[in-house]
């Protein structure tokens, strides 16, 4: 196929609000020897994207970035040294393009899309060939665009150093993208899921996805007591902790000695706060910060998605056209969604 000379791309000339998004025409780059050029079909949004837009992201982010980290697209050109990919193959790029194996390092974090380097809210983008993962055949581009951050974060949490086992209790807080994927992966592993939300309607969706126990935290503010009753006082094995004032209750919900609390969002409390530190020590719980995952983990996750195609199908709440990207940000900010908010690019 012939490639266009120019394409449309979003950026933030000035941060402070997602309303500062600017759409402009830019030249389409040719892939270098070890790169591929991808026509981006869909991009999914993260809470991180709102933080970067608002200038509130606690990690390094470049000035005037092309936003967003999560995409799915089609390879349209390959560099001369690329052997593992072909034109027309469907791919996602890993969140950190250079995190191929193993845990995150300062060097791999310096390749975080949509933050440390330019992101993916553009019609065409080159990627290092080593950063790509093939999309499961049963997923659409819109569904696959949800995998690089939300799905892989949930997978890394539950299949990390202390992997989930059949029969475990898993607590997921809320019904955002990571929490919904964690629910699905936990069900696929044979675990029992407890889900919380402020909305009974959202909890109905969690129930349909396989959650066995549902707690409306607005109606039951002391939800950790309910969690402990459900588990007969033992506590839960894995908690997907989203931050924002719920950490203390999560600690009280954890199983003594082996409870894994996976922090997937920004937590405001400092580690010097004794109200947080002492309960962690008393519970002998593990607080594990999650920085997405590697290409190798991504490929392992795709095997799970392929083995359980229906029960792990991404939950896409709403899809916005490319020219309505600002509306997509606003909808994400409203927190009306369950699962993922996606922008259709191509």
């Amino acid at each position: 196929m012939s490639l266009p000379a120019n394409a449309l791309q979003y950026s933030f000339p000035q941060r402070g609000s997602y309303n500062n998004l600017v759409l402009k025409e830019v030249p389409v780059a040719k892939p270098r020897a070890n790169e591929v050029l991808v026509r981006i079909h869909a991009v999914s949004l993260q809470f991180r994207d709102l933080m970067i837009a608002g200038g509130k992201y606690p990690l390094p982010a470049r000035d005037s970035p092309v936003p967003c980290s999560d995409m799915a697209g089609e390879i349209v050109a390959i560099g001369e040294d690329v052997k593992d990919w072909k034109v027309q193959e469907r791919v996602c790029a890993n969140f950190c393009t250079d995190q191929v194996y193993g845990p995150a390092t300062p060097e791999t974090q310096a390749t975080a899309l949509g933050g440390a380097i330019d992101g993916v809210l553009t019609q065409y983008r080159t990627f290092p060939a080593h950063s790509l993962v093939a999309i499961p055949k049963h997923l659409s581009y819109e569904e696959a665009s949800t995998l690089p951050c939300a799905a892989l974060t949930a997978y890394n949490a539950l299949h990390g150093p202390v992997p989930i086992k059949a029969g475990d209790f898993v607590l997921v807080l809320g019904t955002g993208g990571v929490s919904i994927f964690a629910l699905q992966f936990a069900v696929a592993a044979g675990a029992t899921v407890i889900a919380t939300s402020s909305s009974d309607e959202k909890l109905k969706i969690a129930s349909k996805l396989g959650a066995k126990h549902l707690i409306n935290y607005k109606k039951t503010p002391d939800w950790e007591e309910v969690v402990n009753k459900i588990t007969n006082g033992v506590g839960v094995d894995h908690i997907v902790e989203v931050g924002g004032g719920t950490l203390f209750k999560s600690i009280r919900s954890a199983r003594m000695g082996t409870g894994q609390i996976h922090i997937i969002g920004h937590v405001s409390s400092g580690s010097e706060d004794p109200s947080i530190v002492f309960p962690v020590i008393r519970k002998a719980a593990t607080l594990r910060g999650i920085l997405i995952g590697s290409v190798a983990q991504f490929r392992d996750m795709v095997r799970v998605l392929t083995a359980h195609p229906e029960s792990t199908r991404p939950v896409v709440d709403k899809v916005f056209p490319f020219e309505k990207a600002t509306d997509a940000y606003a909808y994400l900010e409203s927190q009306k969604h369950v699962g993922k908010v996606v922008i259709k690019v191509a």
Side-chain angles (χ1 to χ4, degrees), residues 19-189:
N19 289 308
N20 294 335
L21 269 177
V22 171
L23 184 64
K24 63 180 181 180
E25 193 172 86
V26 296
V28 173
K30 293 182 179 180
R32 289 182 285 190
N34 292 305
E35 292 181 335
V36 301
L37 177 65
V38 176
R39 183 188 183 202
I40 295 177
H41 283 253
V43 170
S44 72
L45 294 179
Q46 319 296 331
F47 182 73
R48 169 184 184 260
D49 297 318
L50 290 174
M51 296 179 74
I52 290 175
K56 299 177 181 178
Y57 191 53
L59 298 178
R62 63 169 300 169
D63 294 331
S64 306
V66 176
C68 302
S69 57
D70 293 20
M71 52 67 67
E74 171 192 9
I75 295 175
V76 292
I78 60 174
E80 59 189 19
D81 292 341
V82 174
K83 307 300 181 186
D84 296 335
W85 297 106
K86 298 177 181 178
V87 170
Q88 295 186 328
E89 287 189 289
R90 304 192 318 146
V91 294
C92 291
N94 199 50
F95 181 91
C96 291
T97 59
D98 284 353
Q99 188 179 356
V100 181
Y101 300 102
T105 66
E107 291 76 19
T108 61
Q109 284 297 294
T111 64
L113 291 164
I117 65 174
D118 278 336
V120 298
L121 196 54
T122 180
Q123 291 178 321
Y124 290 85
R125 193 191 192 286
T126 57
F127 297 94
H130 61 246
S131 71
L132 299 180
V133 176
I135 293 171
K137 293 179 180 179
H138 67 284
L139 296 184
S140 68
Y141 283 115
E142 290 79 12
E143 291 170 327
S145 73
T146 70
L147 301 180
C149 185
L152 189 55
T153 297
Y155 181 85
N156 187 0
L158 297 179
H159 293 273
V162 182
I164 189 174
K165 307 183 302 298
D168 279 354
F169 276 98
V170 176
L171 172 63
V172 297
L173 303 184
T175 51
V178 178
S179 295
I180 289 294
F181 272 116
L183 190 170
Q184 292 173 298
F185 289 141
V187 170

Side-chain angles (χ1 to χ4, degrees), residues 111-339:
T111 64
L113 291 164
I117 65 174
D118 278 336
V120 298
L121 196 54
T122 180
Q123 291 178 321
Y124 290 85
R125 193 191 192 286
T126 57
F127 297 94
H130 61 246
S131 71
L132 299 180
V133 176
I135 293 171
K137 293 179 180 179
H138 67 284
L139 296 184
S140 68
Y141 283 115
E142 290 79 12
E143 291 170 327
S145 73
T146 70
L147 301 180
C149 185
L152 189 55
T153 297
Y155 181 85
N156 187 0
L158 297 179
H159 293 273
V162 182
I164 189 174
K165 307 183 302 298
D168 279 354
F169 276 98
V170 176
L171 172 63
V172 297
L173 303 184
T175 51
V178 178
S179 295
I180 289 294
F181 272 116
L183 190 170
Q184 292 173 298
F185 289 141
V187 170
T192 299
V193 177
I194 306 169
T196 72
S197 176
S198 62
S199 163
D200 288 340
E201 290 304 309
K202 291 181 179 180
L203 287 172
K204 289 179 182 177
I205 296 173
S207 177
K208 289 180 181 178
L209 293 171
K212 296 296 184 185
H213 302 278
L214 311 170
I215 305 173
N216 185 316
Y217 61 78
K218 282 196 172 180
K219 296 178 180 178
T220 310
D222 295 328
W223 50 263
E224 74 279 15
E225 296 179 6
V226 179
V227 170
N228 281 298
K229 286 180 181 177
I230 292 169
T231 61
N232 294 316
V234 173
V236 296
D237 302 278
H238 292 271
I239 300 169
V240 178
E241 165 61 56
V242 296
T246 53
L247 182 55
F248 184 68
K249 292 180 182 290
S250 289
I251 293 167
R252 293 188 63 194
S253 302
R255 183 171 187 146
M256 183 173 288
T258 59
Q260 299 288 305
I261 301 173
H262 310 286
I263 303 173
I264 61 92
H266 178 59
V267 180
S268 58
S269 298
S271 61
E272 72 282 1
D273 185 349
S275 69
I276 298 298
V277 173
F278 291 154
V280 173
I281 295 173
R282 183 174 59 84
K283 279 275 191 170
T286 298
L287 293 181
R288 181 173 176 242
I290 305 295
L291 279 171
I292 324 298
S294 68
V295 172
Q297 286 176 308
F298 200 150
R299 289 173 179 153
D300 287 343
M301 179 186 73
V302 165
R303 294 178 66 187
V304 175
L305 294 166
T306 303
H308 303 274
E310 291 308 316
S311 62
T312 63
R313 185 176 292 277
V315 177
V316 176
D317 187 291
K318 197 167 184 178
V319 178
F320 289 81
F322 188 55
E323 63 272 15
K324 298 287 186 180
T326 303
D327 292 348
Y329 272 80
Y331 185 67
L332 178 70
E333 184 181 50
S334 76
Q335 296 188 341
K336 295 178 181 178
H337 63 289
V338 172

